[in-house]
Amino acid sequence: MISNALGHLMNHAYKLGNQDCPVFLLDGPEPIVIDSGVTCAAELYAAAIRSVLGTRQPSILFLTHVHWDHCGGAAYLKKAFPAMKIAVSRQGEKILARPNALALIKMLNQAFSAQVHTIPDYASLMLVEEDFQPFDVDILIEDNQVFNLGAGVMMKALATPGHTQDHFSYYLPGPQIMFAGEAAGVNYGLDAVSTEFVSDYDAYLTSLHRLAALPAELLCPGHFQHVMGTDDIAAFFDRSITATLRFKTRVLELLEEESGSIDRVVKRYKAEWYDVIVAPNKQPEVPFLINLRARVAHLAGRAAAPTSRGAAETVD
C-alpha cells in the first residue's frame, strides 16, 4: 500500500504535519522524531507531536540530512521540547558550521514560506513567521550505530550518502520500519519514482541497494507517500533504482544533443519531467532547479572522466 495519509502508521510510528514535508514520530519509552521539516510549519509539527505524547517530550530528534526542508524546524522544536537532543552525522555538523550553508537554508525556507498560501496542505494551517535559526548538535551519528529506544526496541543508523554526503537513514529491525529520508527516492505523482541523488550518483545507487536488501514492513521516505507491505516496498525500490538508471541515460543523451551545455539540459529535463507534474505534488521550483543542476553537472563531470562500471549499476 502506498499512501499520503497522516497520523498513526504502525507499531507506534506516526507521520505528522503535512504529507509533502512530514516529520515522523516513534512513540515509546524514549520517543524520537525523524527530521524537522520546514521552518514555517514548525508549530504544526510541535502541536502534532504533543497530540501523541501529551506532556512527554521526545528524547532525540534524528536528522536524515541538513537540507532546508529536513532541518528547517529543528531550532523551533528544540525550544518547544527543551529536553530533546538533536542527532546529526559528522558531515552534517560540518555543513551546519558553514555560514553560506546556513544562509541557503534560511533563504529557501523564506522562499517556501512566501508561497505556502497557494498550497492547500499549508494554507489553512498554523504557520510561524520566524526565520530559520541555527541549532546546536548534541549527538554525532556513526554508520551502524545502534540506539536503544527502550522496551527492547533498537534502531540502527545507516550511512546512505548520494542524495547528500551527510545523508543517514534509520532502520528498526524488530518491527521492520525504515525512515529513508531521500535515500530511497520520492514519488511526486508520476508512475516512476524520482531519483534524488545530488552529490554522488554511484553512492546513491549503492545506498539504494543497501536499503532495498533490508526486510521492511513500513518505508517512510522524506516526502509524500509512505509504503506499507513487503511486496509494495520491494516494488518501490525497483522503481527507484530503474528511475535512477533512466535519469542518467536521459541526461547523458541530452548532454550529447546539447553539446555539453548544462543550462540547456536542465531546461529540457525540467520541461520533460517537472513541468508536467500537477501541483501540489511537486517540489518547489527553486530547490528543484538547484538539485537538478547539481545532478546534471555531476553526471557531466562523471562522463568526462569515466570509471569502471560499478556492481550497483548492473540492474537491467
Side-chain angles (χ1 to χ4, degrees), residues 4 61 73 248 254 288:
N4 280 330
L61 165 62
K248 187 199 77 166
L254 292 174
F288 172 82

Side-chain angles (χ1 to χ4, degrees), residues 217-253:
E217 289 288 344
L218 173 62
L219 168 64
C220 297
H223 300 284
F224 300 109
Q225 292 94 340
H226 60 274
V227 190
M228 299 183 72
T230 55
D231 291 344
D232 284 342
I233 290 171
F236 183 93
F237 275 113
D238 286 344
R239 292 197 303 274
S240 188
I241 291 167
T242 298
T244 302
L245 299 174
R246 287 176 177 170
F247 177 88
K248 187 199 77 166
T249 298
R250 182 57 180 150
V251 166
L252 293 181
E253 290 173 349

